[in-house]
Coordinates of all heavy atoms in Angstrom, one line a residue:
M859 N 141.0 84.8 193.2 CA 141.0 84.5 191.8 C 141.7 83.2 191.6 O 142.8 83.0 192.1 CB 141.8 85.6 191.1 CG 141.8 85.5 189.6 SD 142.7 86.8 188.6 CE 142.4 88.3 189.5
P860 N 141.0 82.3 190.9 CA 141.6 80.9 190.7 C 142.9 81.0 189.9 O 143.0 81.9 189.1 CB 140.5 80.1 190.0 CG 139.5 81.0 189.6 CD 139.7 82.4 190.3
T861 N 143.7 80.0 190.0 CA 144.9 79.9 189.2 C 144.8 78.8 188.2 O 144.2 77.7 188.6 CB 146.1 79.6 190.1 OG1 146.3 80.6 191.1 CG2 147.4 79.4 189.3
V862 N 145.2 79.0 187.0 CA 145.1 78.0 185.9 C 146.5 77.9 185.3 O 147.2 78.9 185.1 CB 144.1 78.5 184.8 CG1 144.1 77.5 183.7 CG2 142.7 78.7 185.4
S863 N 146.9 76.7 185.1 CA 148.2 76.4 184.5 C 148.0 75.9 183.0 O 147.0 75.2 182.7 CB 149.0 75.3 185.2 OG 149.3 75.8 186.5
A864 N 148.9 76.3 182.2 CA 148.9 75.8 180.8 C 150.3 75.7 180.3 O 151.2 76.5 180.6 CB 148.1 76.8 180.0
R865 N 150.5 74.7 179.4 CA 151.8 74.6 178.8 C 151.7 75.3 177.4 O 150.7 75.3 176.8 CB 152.2 73.1 178.6 CG 152.3 72.4 179.9 CD 152.6 70.9 179.5 NE 152.6 70.1 180.7 CZ 153.6 69.9 181.6 NH1 154.8 70.5 181.3 NH2 153.5 69.1 182.6
M866 N 152.8 75.9 177.0 CA 152.9 76.6 175.7 C 154.2 76.4 175.1 O 155.2 76.3 175.8 CB 152.5 78.0 175.8 CG 153.5 78.9 176.6 SD 153.1 80.7 176.6 CE 151.5 80.8 177.3
P867 N 154.3 76.4 173.8 CA 155.5 76.3 173.1 C 156.4 77.5 173.4 O 155.9 78.6 173.7 CB 155.2 76.2 171.6 CG 153.7 75.9 171.6 CD 153.1 76.4 172.9
E868 N 157.7 77.3 173.3 CA 158.6 78.4 173.6 C 158.4 79.6 172.7 O 158.5 80.8 173.2 CB 160.1 77.9 173.4 CG 160.5 77.0 174.5 CD 162.0 76.5 174.3 OE1 162.7 77.2 173.6 OE2 162.3 75.5 174.9
E869 N 158.0 79.4 171.4 CA 157.8 80.6 170.6 C 156.5 81.4 171.0 O 156.5 82.6 170.9 CB 157.6 80.2 169.1 CG 156.6 79.2 168.8 CD 157.0 77.7 168.9 OE1 158.2 77.4 169.3 OE2 156.2 76.9 168.5
D870 N 155.5 80.7 171.6 CA 154.4 81.4 172.1 C 154.7 82.2 173.4 O 154.3 83.3 173.6 CB 153.2 80.5 172.5 CG 152.6 79.9 171.2 OD1 152.8 80.4 170.1 OD2 151.8 78.9 171.3
E871 N 155.6 81.6 174.2 CA 156.1 82.3 175.4 C 156.9 83.6 175.0 O 156.7 84.6 175.6 CB 156.9 81.4 176.3 CG 157.3 82.2 177.6 CD 158.2 81.4 178.5 OE1 158.7 80.3 178.1 OE2 158.3 81.8 179.7
A872 N 157.7 83.4 174.0 CA 158.5 84.6 173.5 C 157.5 85.7 173.0 O 157.7 86.9 173.3 CB 159.4 84.2 172.4
E873 N 156.5 85.3 172.3 CA 155.5 86.2 171.8 C 154.7 86.9 173.0 O 154.5 88.1 172.9 CB 154.5 85.6 170.8 CG 153.4 86.5 170.3 CD 154.0 87.6 169.3 OE1 155.2 87.5 168.9 OE2 153.2 88.5 169.0
L874 N 154.4 86.1 174.0 CA 153.7 86.6 175.2 C 154.6 87.7 175.8 O 154.1 88.8 176.2 CB 153.4 85.5 176.1 CG 153.0 85.9 177.5 CD1 151.7 86.7 177.4 CD2 152.8 84.7 178.4
E875 N 155.9 87.4 176.0 CA 156.8 88.4 176.6 C 156.9 89.6 175.7 O 156.9 90.7 176.3 CB 158.2 87.7 176.8 CG 158.2 86.7 177.9 CD 159.5 86.0 178.1 OE1 160.5 86.4 177.5 OE2 159.5 85.0 178.8
A876 N 157.0 89.5 174.4 CA 157.1 90.6 173.5 C 155.8 91.5 173.6 O 155.9 92.7 173.7 CB 157.3 90.2 172.1
V877 N 154.6 90.9 173.7 CA 153.4 91.7 173.8 C 153.3 92.3 175.1 O 152.9 93.5 175.3 CB 152.2 90.8 173.5 CG1 150.9 91.5 173.8 CG2 152.2 90.3 172.0
A878 N 153.7 91.6 176.2 CA 153.7 92.2 177.5 C 154.6 93.4 177.6 O 154.2 94.4 178.2 CB 154.1 91.1 178.6
D879 N 155.7 93.3 177.0 CA 156.7 94.4 177.0 C 156.1 95.6 176.2 O 156.1 96.7 176.6 CB 158.0 94.0 176.3 CG 158.8 93.2 177.3 OD1 158.5 93.1 178.5 OD2 159.8 92.5 176.8
L880 N 155.5 95.3 175.0 CA 154.8 96.3 174.2 C 153.8 97.0 174.9 O 153.6 98.3 174.8 CB 154.2 95.6 172.9 CG 153.5 96.5 172.0 CD1 154.5 97.4 171.2 CD2 152.7 95.7 171.0
L881 N 153.0 96.3 175.7 CA 151.9 96.9 176.5 C 152.3 97.5 177.8 O 151.5 98.0 178.6 CB 150.7 95.9 176.7 CG 150.1 95.4 175.4 CD1 149.1 94.3 175.7 CD2 149.5 96.5 174.6
A882 N 153.6 97.3 178.2 CA 154.2 97.7 179.4 C 153.4 97.1 180.6 O 153.0 97.9 181.5 CB 154.2 99.2 179.5
E883 N 153.2 95.8 180.6 CA 152.5 95.1 181.7 C 153.1 93.8 181.9 O 153.9 93.3 181.1 CB 151.0 95.0 181.4 CG 150.7 94.3 180.1 CD 149.2 94.4 179.7 OE1 148.6 95.4 180.0 OE2 148.8 93.5 178.9
D884 N 152.7 93.2 183.0 CA 153.3 91.8 183.3 C 152.6 90.8 182.5 O 151.6 91.0 181.9 CB 153.2 91.5 184.8 CG 151.8 91.5 185.3 OD1 151.1 90.5 185.1 OD2 151.3 92.5 185.9
K885 N 153.3 89.6 182.4 CA 152.8 88.5 181.6 C 151.4 88.0 182.1 O 150.5 87.7 181.2 CB 153.7 87.3 181.6 CG 155.0 87.6 180.8 CD 155.8 86.4 180.5 CE 156.2 85.5 181.7 NZ 157.1 84.4 181.4
S886 N 151.1 88.0 183.4 CA 149.8 87.6 183.9 C 148.7 88.5 183.4 O 147.6 88.0 183.0 CB 149.8 87.5 185.4 OG 150.7 86.5 185.9
T887 N 148.9 89.8 183.4 CA 147.9 90.7 182.9 C 147.7 90.5 181.4 O 146.5 90.5 181.0 CB 148.3 92.1 183.2 OG1 148.5 92.3 184.6 CG2 147.3 93.1 182.7
T888 N 148.8 90.3 180.7 CA 148.6 90.1 179.2 C 147.9 88.8 178.9 O 147.0 88.8 178.0 CB 150.0 90.1 178.6 OG1 150.7 91.3 178.9 CG2 150.0 89.9 177.1
I889 N 148.2 87.8 179.7 CA 147.5 86.5 179.5 C 146.0 86.7 179.8 O 145.2 86.2 179.0 CB 148.1 85.4 180.4 CG1 149.5 85.0 179.9 CG2 147.2 84.2 180.5 CD1 150.2 84.1 180.8
R890 N 145.6 87.3 180.8 CA 144.2 87.5 181.2 C 143.5 88.3 180.1 O 142.4 88.0 179.6 CB 144.1 88.2 182.5 CG 144.3 87.3 183.7 CD 143.9 88.0 185.0 NE 144.6 89.2 185.3 CZ 145.8 89.2 185.9 NH1 146.4 88.1 186.3 NH2 146.4 90.4 186.2
K891 N 144.2 89.4 179.6 CA 143.6 90.1 178.5 C 143.4 89.3 177.2 O 142.4 89.3 176.5 CB 144.4 91.4 178.1 CG 144.3 92.5 179.1 CD 145.2 93.7 178.7 CE 145.0 94.8 179.6 NZ 145.9 96.0 179.2
A892 N 144.5 88.6 176.8 CA 144.4 87.7 175.6 C 143.4 86.7 175.8 O 142.7 86.4 174.8 CB 145.8 87.1 175.4
L893 N 143.3 86.1 176.9 CA 142.3 85.0 177.1 C 140.9 85.6 177.0 O 140.0 85.0 176.3 CB 142.5 84.4 178.5 CG 141.6 83.2 178.8 CD1 141.7 82.1 177.8 CD2 141.9 82.6 180.2
R894 N 140.6 86.7 177.6 CA 139.3 87.4 177.6 C 138.9 87.7 176.1 O 137.8 87.4 175.7 CB 139.3 88.6 178.5 CG 137.9 89.2 178.7 CD 138.0 90.4 179.7 NE 138.7 90.1 180.9 CZ 139.8 90.6 181.3 NH1 140.4 91.6 180.6 NH2 140.4 90.3 182.4
E895 N 139.9 88.3 175.4 CA 139.6 88.7 174.0 C 139.5 87.5 173.1 O 138.6 87.4 172.2 CB 140.7 89.7 173.5 CG 140.6 91.0 174.2 CD 141.7 92.0 173.7 OE1 142.2 91.8 172.6 OE2 142.0 92.9 174.4
G896 N 140.3 86.5 173.4 CA 140.3 85.3 172.6 C 139.0 84.5 172.8 O 138.4 84.0 171.8
L897 N 138.5 84.4 174.0 CA 137.3 83.7 174.3 C 136.1 84.4 173.6 O 135.2 83.8 173.1 CB 137.0 83.6 175.8 CG 138.0 82.6 176.5 CD1 137.8 82.7 178.0 CD2 137.9 81.2 176.0
A898 N 136.1 85.8 173.7 CA 135.0 86.5 173.0 C 135.0 86.3 171.5 O 134.0 86.1 170.9 CB 135.2 88.0 173.3
T899 N 136.2 86.3 170.9 CA 136.3 86.0 169.5 C 135.9 84.6 169.1 O 135.2 84.4 168.1 CB 137.8 86.2 169.1 OG1 138.2 87.5 169.3 CG2 138.0 85.9 167.6
L900 N 136.2 83.6 169.9 CA 135.8 82.3 169.7 C 134.2 82.1 169.8 O 133.6 81.5 169.0 CB 136.4 81.3 170.7 CG 137.9 81.0 170.5 CD1 138.5 80.2 171.6 CD2 138.2 80.4 169.1
R901 N 133.6 82.8 170.8 CA 132.2 82.8 170.9 C 131.5 83.4 169.7 O 130.6 82.8 169.1 CB 131.7 83.5 172.2 CG 132.0 82.8 173.5 CD 131.5 83.7 174.6 NE 130.1 83.6 174.6 CZ 129.4 83.1 175.6 NH1 129.9 82.5 176.6 NH2 128.0 83.1 175.5
E902 N 132.0 84.5 169.3 CA 131.5 85.2 168.1 C 131.6 84.3 166.8 O 130.7 84.2 166.1 CB 132.1 86.6 167.9 CG 131.7 87.6 168.9 CD 132.4 88.9 168.7 OE1 133.1 89.1 167.7 OE2 132.2 89.8 169.6
R903 N 132.8 83.8 166.6 CA 133.0 82.9 165.5 C 132.1 81.7 165.5 O 131.5 81.4 164.4 CB 134.5 82.4 165.4 CG 134.8 81.6 164.2 CD 136.2 81.1 164.1 NE 137.2 82.2 164.4 CZ 138.3 82.0 165.1 NH1 138.6 80.9 165.6 NH2 139.1 83.1 165.3
H904 N 131.9 81.1 166.6 CA 131.0 80.0 166.7 C 129.5 80.4 166.4 O 128.8 79.7 165.6 CB 131.0 79.4 168.1 CG 130.1 78.2 168.3 ND1 130.3 77.0 167.7 CD2 128.9 78.2 169.0 CE1 129.3 76.2 168.1 NE2 128.4 76.9 168.8
A905 N 129.1 81.5 166.9 CA 127.8 82.1 166.7 C 127.6 82.4 165.2 O 126.5 82.1 164.6 CB 127.5 83.3 167.5
V906 N 128.6 83.0 164.6 CA 128.5 83.3 163.1 C 128.3 82.1 162.3 O 127.5 82.0 161.4 CB 129.7 84.1 162.7 CG1 129.9 84.2 161.2 CG2 129.7 85.5 163.3
E907 N 129.1 81.0 162.6 CA 129.1 79.8 161.8 C 127.7 79.1 162.0 O 127.1 78.7 161.0 CB 130.2 78.8 162.3 CG 131.5 79.3 161.9 CD 132.6 78.4 162.6 OE1 132.3 77.5 163.4 OE2 133.8 78.8 162.3
R908 N 127.2 79.1 163.2 CA 125.9 78.5 163.4 C 124.7 79.3 162.8 O 123.8 78.7 162.2 CB 125.6 78.4 165.0 CG 126.6 77.5 165.7 CD 126.3 76.0 165.6 NE 124.9 75.6 165.9 CZ 124.4 75.4 167.1 NH1 125.2 75.5 168.2 NH2 123.1 75.0 167.2
Y909 N 124.9 80.6 162.8 CA 123.8 81.5 162.2 C 123.9 81.3 160.7 O 122.8 81.2 160.1 CB 124.1 82.9 162.6 CG 123.1 83.9 162.1 CD1 121.8 83.9 162.6 CD2 123.4 84.8 161.1 CE1 120.8 84.8 162.1 CE2 122.5 85.7 160.6 CZ 121.2 85.7 161.1 OH 120.3 86.6 160.6
Q910 N 125.0 81.4 160.1 CA 125.2 81.3 158.7 C 124.7 79.9 158.1 O 124.1 79.9 157.0 CB 126.6 81.5 158.2 CG 127.0 82.9 158.1 CD 126.3 83.7 157.0 OE1 125.5 84.5 157.4 NE2 126.5 83.3 155.8
S911 N 124.8 78.9 158.9 CA 124.4 77.6 158.5 C 122.9 77.4 158.7 O 122.3 76.4 158.2 CB 125.1 76.5 159.2 OG 124.8 76.4 160.5
G912 N 122.2 78.3 159.4 CA 120.8 78.2 159.6 C 120.5 77.4 160.8 O 119.3 77.1 161.0
D913 N 121.4 77.0 161.6 CA 121.2 76.2 162.8 C 120.5 77.0 163.9 O 119.8 76.4 164.8 CB 122.5 75.7 163.4 CG 123.1 74.6 162.5 OD1 122.4 74.0 161.6 OD2 124.3 74.3 162.7
V914 N 120.8 78.3 164.0 CA 120.3 79.1 165.1 C 119.6 80.4 164.6 O 120.0 80.9 163.5 CB 121.3 79.5 166.1 CG1 121.9 78.2 166.8 CG2 122.5 80.3 165.5
S915 N 118.7 81.0 165.4 CA 118.1 82.2 165.1 C 118.9 83.4 165.5 O 120.0 83.2 166.1 CB 116.7 82.3 165.8 OG 117.0 82.4 167.2
V916 N 118.5 84.6 165.2 CA 119.2 85.8 165.6 C 119.3 85.8 167.1 O 120.4 86.1 167.7 CB 118.4 87.1 165.2 CG1 119.0 88.3 165.8 CG2 118.5 87.2 163.7
N917 N 118.2 85.5 167.8 CA 118.2 85.5 169.3 C 119.2 84.5 169.8 O 120.0 84.8 170.7 CB 116.8 85.1 169.7 CG 116.5 85.5 171.2 OD1 117.1 86.4 171.7 ND2 115.6 84.7 171.8
E918 N 119.2 83.3 169.3 CA 120.2 82.3 169.8 C 121.6 82.6 169.4 O 122.5 82.4 170.2 CB 119.8 80.9 169.2 CG 120.7 79.8 169.7 CD 120.6 79.5 171.2 OE1 119.8 80.0 171.9 OE2 121.5 78.6 171.6
A919 N 121.8 83.2 168.2 CA 123.2 83.6 167.8 C 123.7 84.6 168.8 O 124.9 84.6 169.2 CB 123.2 84.1 166.4
A920 N 122.9 85.6 169.1 CA 123.3 86.6 170.1 C 123.7 86.0 171.4 O 124.7 86.4 172.0 CB 122.2 87.7 170.2
R921 N 122.9 85.1 171.9 CA 123.2 84.4 173.2 C 124.5 83.7 173.1 O 125.3 83.8 174.0 CB 122.0 83.5 173.5 CG 122.2 82.9 174.9 CD 121.2 81.7 175.2 NE 121.6 80.5 174.4 CZ 122.6 79.7 174.7 NH1 123.4 80.0 175.6 NH2 122.8 78.7 173.9
L922 N 124.7 82.9 172.0 CA 125.9 82.2 171.8 C 127.2 83.1 171.8 O 128.2 82.7 172.3 CB 125.9 81.3 170.6 CG 125.0 80.1 170.5 CD1 124.9 79.6 169.1 CD2 125.4 79.1 171.5
A923 N 127.0 84.2 171.2 CA 128.1 85.2 171.1 C 128.3 86.0 172.3 O 129.3 86.7 172.5 CB 127.8 86.1 169.9
G924 N 127.4 85.9 173.3 CA 127.5 86.7 174.5 C 127.2 88.2 174.3 O 127.7 89.0 174.9
L925 N 126.3 88.4 173.3 CA 126.0 89.8 172.9 C 124.5 90.0 173.1 O 123.7 89.1 173.1 CB 126.3 90.0 171.5 CG 127.8 89.8 171.0 CD1 127.9 89.9 169.5 CD2 128.7 90.8 171.7
S926 N 124.1 91.3 173.2 CA 122.7 91.7 173.1 C 122.2 91.5 171.6 O 123.1 91.4 170.7 CB 122.5 93.1 173.5 OG 123.0 94.0 172.5
I927 N 120.9 91.5 171.4 CA 120.4 91.3 170.1 C 120.9 92.5 169.2 O 121.3 92.3 168.1 CB 118.9 91.2 170.0 CG1 118.5 89.8 170.6 CG2 118.4 91.3 168.6 CD1 117.1 89.5 170.8
G928 N 120.9 93.7 169.8 CA 121.3 94.9 169.1 C 122.8 94.8 168.7 O 123.2 95.1 167.5
E929 N 123.6 94.3 169.6 CA 125.1 94.1 169.3 C 125.2 93.1 168.2 O 126.1 93.2 167.4 CB 125.8 93.7 170.6 CG 125.9 94.8 171.6 CD 126.4 94.4 172.9 OE1 126.1 93.2 173.3 OE2 127.1 95.2 173.6
W930 N 124.5 92.0 168.3 CA 124.6 90.9 167.3 C 124.2 91.4 166.0 O 124.9 91.2 165.0 CB 123.7 89.7 167.7 CG 123.6 88.7 166.6 CD1 122.6 88.6 165.7 CD2 124.7 87.9 166.1 NE1 122.9 87.6 164.7 CE2 124.2 87.2 165.0 CE3 125.9 87.6 166.6 CZ2 125.0 86.3 164.3 CZ3 126.7 86.6 165.9 CH2 126.2 86.0 164.8
L931 N 123.1 92.2 165.9 CA 122.6 92.7 164.6 C 123.7 93.6 164.0 O 123.9 93.6 162.8 CB 121.3 93.4 164.7 CG 120.1 92.5 165.0 CD1 118.9 93.3 165.3 CD2 119.9 91.5 163.9
E932 N 124.4 94.4 164.8 CA 125.4 95.3 164.4 C 126.6 94.5 163.8 O 127.1 94.7 162.8 CB 125.9 96.2 165.5 CG 127.0 97.2 165.1 CD 127.3 98.2 166.2 OE1 126.4 98.5 167.0 OE2 128.5 98.5 166.3
L933 N 127.0 93.4 164.6 CA 128.1 92.5 164.1 C 127.7 91.8 162.8 O 128.5 91.8 161.9 CB 128.3 91.5 165.2 CG 129.4 90.5 164.9 CD1 130.4 90.4 166.0 CD2 128.8 89.1 164.6
A934 N 126.5 91.4 162.7 CA 126.0 90.7 161.5 C 126.0 91.6 160.3 O 126.4 91.3 159.2 CB 124.6 90.1 161.7
H935 N 125.6 92.9 160.6 CA 125.6 93.9 159.5 C 127.1 94.2 159.0 O 127.4 94.2 157.8 CB 125.0 95.2 159.9 CG 125.0 96.3 158.9 ND1 124.3 96.3 157.8 CD2 125.8 97.4 158.9 CE1 124.5 97.3 157.1 NE2 125.5 98.0 157.8
E936 N 128.0 94.4 160.0 CA 129.4 94.6 159.7 C 130.0 93.5 158.9 O 130.8 93.8 158.0 CB 130.2 94.8 161.0 CG 129.9 96.1 161.7 CD 130.5 96.2 163.1 OE1 131.2 95.2 163.5 OE2 130.3 97.2 163.8
R937 N 129.6 92.3 159.2 CA 130.2 91.1 158.5 C 129.4 90.7 157.3 O 129.8 89.8 156.6 CB 130.3 90.0 159.5 CG 131.3 90.3 160.6 CD 131.5 89.0 161.4 NE 132.4 89.4 162.5 CZ 132.9 88.5 163.3 NH1 132.7 87.2 163.1 NH2 133.7 88.8 164.3
G938 N 128.3 91.4 157.0 CA 127.5 91.1 155.8 C 126.9 89.7 155.9 O 126.7 89.0 154.9
L939 N 126.5 89.3 157.1 CA 125.9 88.0 157.3 C 124.5 87.9 156.7 O 123.7 88.9 156.7 CB 125.8 87.6 158.8 CG 127.1 87.6 159.5 CD1 126.9 87.2 161.0 CD2 128.1 86.6 158.9
T940 N 124.2 86.8 156.1 CA 122.9 86.5 155.7 C 122.4 85.3 156.4 O 123.2 84.5 156.9 CB 122.8 86.2 154.1 OG1 123.7 85.1 153.9 CG2 123.3 87.4 153.4
T941 N 121.1 85.1 156.5 CA 120.5 84.0 157.2 C 119.9 83.0 156.3 O 119.5 83.3 155.2 CB 119.5 84.5 158.2 OG1 119.0 83.4 159.0 CG2 118.3 85.1 157.5
Q942 N 119.9 81.8 156.8 CA 119.3 80.7 156.1 C 118.0 80.3 156.7 O 117.4 79.3 156.5 CB 120.2 79.4 156.0 CG 121.6 79.7 155.5 CD 121.6 80.3 154.1 OE1 120.9 79.9 153.3 NE2 122.5 81.3 153.9
L943 N 117.5 81.1 157.7 CA 116.3 80.8 158.4 C 115.1 81.1 157.6 O 115.1 81.9 156.7 CB 116.3 81.7 159.7 CG 117.4 81.5 160.7 CD1 117.3 82.5 161.8 CD2 117.5 80.1 161.2
D944 N 114.0 80.4 157.9 CA 112.7 80.6 157.2 C 111.9 81.7 157.8 O 112.3 82.3 158.8 CB 111.9 79.3 157.2 CG 111.5 78.8 158.5 OD1 111.3 79.6 159.4 OD2 111.3 77.6 158.7
E945 N 110.8 82.1 157.2 CA 110.0 83.2 157.6 C 109.5 83.1 159.0 O 109.5 84.1 159.7 CB 108.9 83.4 156.6 CG 108.1 84.6 156.8 CD 107.0 84.8 155.8 OE1 107.1 84.2 154.7 OE2 106.0 85.5 156.1
T946 N 109.1 81.9 159.4 CA 108.6 81.7 160.8 C 109.7 82.1 161.8 O 109.4 82.8 162.8 CB 108.2 80.3 161.0 OG1 107.3 79.9 160.0 CG2 107.6 80.0 162.4
D947 N 110.9 81.6 161.6 CA 112.0 82.0 162.5 C 112.3 83.5 162.5 O 112.5 84.1 163.6 CB 113.3 81.3 162.1 CG 113.2 79.8 162.2 OD1 112.6 79.3 163.1 OD2 113.9 79.1 161.4
L948 N 112.3 84.1 161.4 CA 112.5 85.5 161.3 C 111.4 86.3 162.0 O 111.7 87.3 162.7 CB 112.7 86.0 159.9 CG 113.9 85.4 159.2 CD1 113.9 85.8 157.7 CD2 115.2 85.9 159.8
T949 N 110.2 85.9 161.8 CA 109.0 86.5 162.5 C 109.2 86.4 164.0 O 109.0 87.4 164.7 CB 107.7 85.9 162.0 OG1 107.6 86.1 160.6 CG2 106.5 86.6 162.7
F950 N 109.5 85.2 164.5 CA 109.7 85.0 165.9 C 110.8 86.0 166.4 O 110.6 86.6 167.5 CB 110.1 83.6 166.2 CG 110.4 83.3 167.6 CD1 109.4 83.2 168.6 CD2 111.7 83.2 168.0 CE1 109.7 83.0 169.9 CE2 112.1 83.0 169.4 CZ 111.1 82.8 170.3
D951 N 111.9 86.1 165.7 CA 113.0 86.9 166.1 C 112.6 88.4 166.2 O 112.9 89.1 167.1 CB 114.2 86.8 165.2 CG 115.1 85.5 165.5 OD1 114.9 85.0 166.6 OD2 115.8 85.1 164.7
A952 N 111.8 88.8 165.2 CA 111.3 90.2 165.1 C 110.4 90.5 166.3 O 110.5 91.6 166.9 CB 110.6 90.5 163.8
E953 N 109.5 89.5 166.6 CA 108.6 89.7 167.7 C 109.4 89.8 169.1 O 109.1 90.6 169.9 CB 107.6 88.6 167.8 CG 106.6 88.7 166.7 CD 105.7 87.4 166.6 OE1 105.9 86.4 167.3 OE2 104.8 87.4 165.7
R954 N 110.4 88.9 169.2 CA 111.2 89.0 170.4 C 112.0 90.3 170.6 O 112.1 90.8 171.6 CB 112.2 87.8 170.4 CG 111.6 86.4 170.6 CD 111.4 86.1 172.0 NE 112.7 86.2 172.7 CZ 112.9 86.2 174.0 NH1 111.9 86.0 174.8 NH2 114.1 86.3 174.5
A955 N 112.5 90.7 169.4 CA 113.3 92.0 169.5 C 112.3 93.2 169.8 O 112.7 94.1 170.6 CB 113.9 92.3 168.1
G956 N 111.1 93.1 169.4 CA 110.1 94.2 169.7 C 109.8 94.2 171.2 O 109.4 95.2 171.7
E957 N 109.9 93.0 171.8 CA 109.6 92.9 173.3 C 110.6 93.5 174.1 O 110.4 93.9 175.3 CB 109.3 91.5 173.6 CG 108.1 90.8 173.0 CD 108.1 89.3 173.3 OE1 108.9 88.8 174.0 OE2 107.2 88.7 172.7
L958 N 111.8 93.7 173.6 CA 113.0 94.1 174.4 C 113.0 95.6 174.5 O 112.7 96.5 174.2 CB 114.3 93.6 173.8 CG 114.4 92.1 173.8 CD1 115.7 91.8 173.1 CD2 114.4 91.5 175.1

């Protein structure tokens, strides 16, 4: 497993220690979990922003978020997302979803 170094403010390190204690695990495990969850959140946020602005289709938004189309549609429904895509884009997405 590769090693990555990062600098962080003292208050973030104190929070890291507090969360590690709360979860009864070492700081390295907590950092790995936080990084994994944080990266997933960032991917989803980016996909939502691109989808809402009409820059990407359902298919592309799912790919950006690292989700299946079904998972993306569930996330979009939960967040009440609407699309700015035209009918051609939506037809293409529906056809692609039908192929899966």
Side-chain angles (χ1 to χ4, degrees):
M859 182 179 323
T861 300
V862 177
S863 297
R865 296 180 190 273
M866 67 173 59
E868 289 180 18
E869 57 271 8
D870 289 347
E871 183 181 15
E873 181 65 13
L874 170 61
E875 289 177 10
V877 172
D879 288 345
L880 178 70
L881 300 176
E883 57 192 27
D884 60 81
K885 290 193 306 185
S886 292
T887 300
T888 303
I889 288 171
R890 284 192 297 275
K891 284 181 178 179
L893 185 58
R894 192 174 309 114
E895 290 179 24
L897 292 173
T899 298
L900 289 173
R901 287 181 72 113
E902 288 178 9
R903 184 180 309 142
H904 177 73
V906 165
E907 290 170 0
R908 297 280 309 275
Y909 181 73
Q910 277 296 112
S911 69
D913 289 342
V914 298
S915 66
V916 168
N917 198 30
E918 180 66 6
R921 188 192 69 74
L922 291 172
L925 302 172
S926 70
I927 291 176
E929 291 169 326
W930 171 258
L931 291 173
E932 185 176 324
L933 179 130
H935 176 73
E936 288 171 357
R937 295 189 184 188
L939 300 181
T940 58
T941 184
Q942 308 302 319
L943 301 174
D944 63 28
E945 186 176 338
T946 305
D947 294 325
L948 295 173
T949 301
F950 175 78
D951 283 341
E953 290 170 357
R954 290 275 304 169
E957 294 172 5
L958 300 176

